[in-house]
Amino acid sequence: MSSLLLADLLVVVHFLFVVFVVGGGLLALRWPKVAWLHVPAALWGAWIEFTGAICPLTPLEQQLRARAGQTAYEGDFVAHYILPLLYPLGLTRPTQMVLGGLVVALNLAVYAVVWGRWRAQLVRGET
């Protein structure tokens, strides 16, 4: 498989992971066991945003693109692929903090509902 194809595939996987981080808690409303995968993913995504760190998938994609003869972009995945869709002016630390806060707030709200449903099932004697 070519380096360029691997880089493109990695972008798709990375994007799907970001979508799962943001909205995966909604899957837990239907399938509560998804929370075991989603909570660590959401914590990772929030940590990346709050600390300004770069996800390890980004340098890997950049290496694959360089190996294929393309110029690697600077910055992180969110700044390169996601923010141009949402915030055309680019990624700033305050924007990263807002994005991290939105991930946390959305998921806390969803998991409050999941927790409430789980507690109600316990009270009714369901498992």
PDB file of all heavy atoms in Angstrom, residues 34 52 59 120 123:
ATOM      1  N   VAL A  34     -20.821   1.044  25.286  1.00  0.00           N
ATOM      2  CA  VAL A  34     -19.953   1.871  24.453  1.00  0.00           C
ATOM      3  C   VAL A  34     -19.174   2.856  25.321  1.00  0.00           C
ATOM      4  O   VAL A  34     -18.066   3.277  24.972  1.00  0.00           O
ATOM      5  CB  VAL A  34     -20.780   2.618  23.375  1.00  0.00           C
ATOM      6  CG1 VAL A  34     -19.969   3.696  22.684  1.00  0.00           C
ATOM      7  CG2 VAL A  34     -21.335   1.639  22.363  1.00  0.00           C
ATOM      8  N   GLY A  52      -2.874  21.484  24.434  1.00  0.00           N
ATOM      9  CA  GLY A  52      -2.265  21.950  23.194  1.00  0.00           C
ATOM     10  C   GLY A  52      -1.313  20.916  22.601  1.00  0.00           C
ATOM     11  O   GLY A  52      -0.535  21.225  21.705  1.00  0.00           O
ATOM     12  N   PRO A  59       1.752  13.427  13.459  1.00  0.00           N
ATOM     13  CA  PRO A  59       3.101  13.263  12.913  1.00  0.00           C
ATOM     14  C   PRO A  59       3.225  12.025  12.023  1.00  0.00           C
ATOM     15  O   PRO A  59       3.970  12.041  11.035  1.00  0.00           O
ATOM     16  CB  PRO A  59       4.000  13.141  14.141  1.00  0.00           C
ATOM     17  CG  PRO A  59       3.214  13.635  15.287  1.00  0.00           C
ATOM     18  CD  PRO A  59       1.760  13.511  14.913  1.00  0.00           C
ATOM     19  N   ALA A 120     -31.957   4.063  37.216  1.00  0.00           N
ATOM     20  CA  ALA A 120     -33.380   3.696  37.164  1.00  0.00           C
ATOM     21  C   ALA A 120     -33.533   2.194  36.913  1.00  0.00           C
ATOM     22  O   ALA A 120     -34.416   1.546  37.507  1.00  0.00           O
ATOM     23  CB  ALA A 120     -34.094   4.496  36.077  1.00  0.00           C
ATOM     24  N   VAL A 123     -32.868   0.363  40.179  1.00  0.00           N
ATOM     25  CA  VAL A 123     -33.996   0.501  41.102  1.00  0.00           C
ATOM     26  C   VAL A 123     -35.125  -0.456  40.703  1.00  0.00           C
ATOM     27  O   VAL A 123     -35.745  -1.093  41.557  1.00  0.00           O
ATOM     28  CB  VAL A 123     -34.492   1.952  41.148  1.00  0.00           C
ATOM     29  CG1 VAL A 123     -35.816   2.079  41.870  1.00  0.00           C
ATOM     30  CG2 VAL A 123     -33.447   2.841  41.795  1.00  0.00           C
TER      31      VAL A 123
END
